[in-house]
Amino acid sequence: MKMINPLMMIWIAIQLLIVLFTINSHEDESLIIFWMTLPFLILNCIGIIIILLGKPKTGSTLFLIGSILFVPIGLIGVMGARKVLNKIKEDKFLETL
């Protein structure tokens, strides 16, 4: 059950672009953004890998945590992870019927 939402992939792409645009900058503000964004990009990538390994609830929760800091733009990732978690709950509920 591979449950990666397109919104999650869009947020990963945005984070990757932020990291790539700020990595070579010589300004202090850009380097702060780089070091603030990089750990959360890594956390979100780990979340995606965990989803692909068959643990969508754990991976989506990690992805949600990695996206929440970047409000308002991070809401893209939050909505994607939330949709996956809602789908898991819905599937679990339907199994009980």
Side-chain angles (χ1 to χ4, degrees):
M1 177 165 73
K2 310 285 190 250
M3 302 180 80
I4 297 177
N5 190 290
L7 291 173
M8 295 168 80
M9 297 313 296
I10 290 170
W11 177 237
I12 287 279
I14 291 170
Q15 276 187 311
L16 186 58
L17 286 173
I18 292 170
V19 167
L20 291 176
F21 285 136
T22 58
I23 194 168
N24 289 327
S25 179
H26 298 292
E27 298 178 20
D28 290 339
E29 293 85 12
S30 295
L31 290 176
I32 290 169
I33 293 172
F34 169 75
W35 287 111
M36 189 175 84
T37 307
L38 184 64
F40 292 99
L41 174 65
I42 293 169
L43 183 65
N44 286 344
C45 290
I46 291 170
I48 293 288
I49 291 169
I50 291 173
I51 291 171
L52 291 174
L53 292 175
K55 299 283 188 182
K57 187 172 183 179
T58 305
S60 295
T61 303
L62 281 176
F63 197 92
L64 187 74
I65 293 167
S67 300
I68 202 108
L69 177 70
F70 299 97
V71 171
I73 192 81
L75 291 177
I76 295 169
V78 170
M79 288 187 310
R82 193 70 227 155
K83 284 183 180 184
V84 171
L85 291 172
N86 288 341
K87 177 74 172 134
I88 292 169
K89 284 183 183 178
E90 179 183 330
D91 291 346
K92 194 174 193 180
F93 175 75
L94 291 175
E95 287 176 5
T96 61
L97 296 179

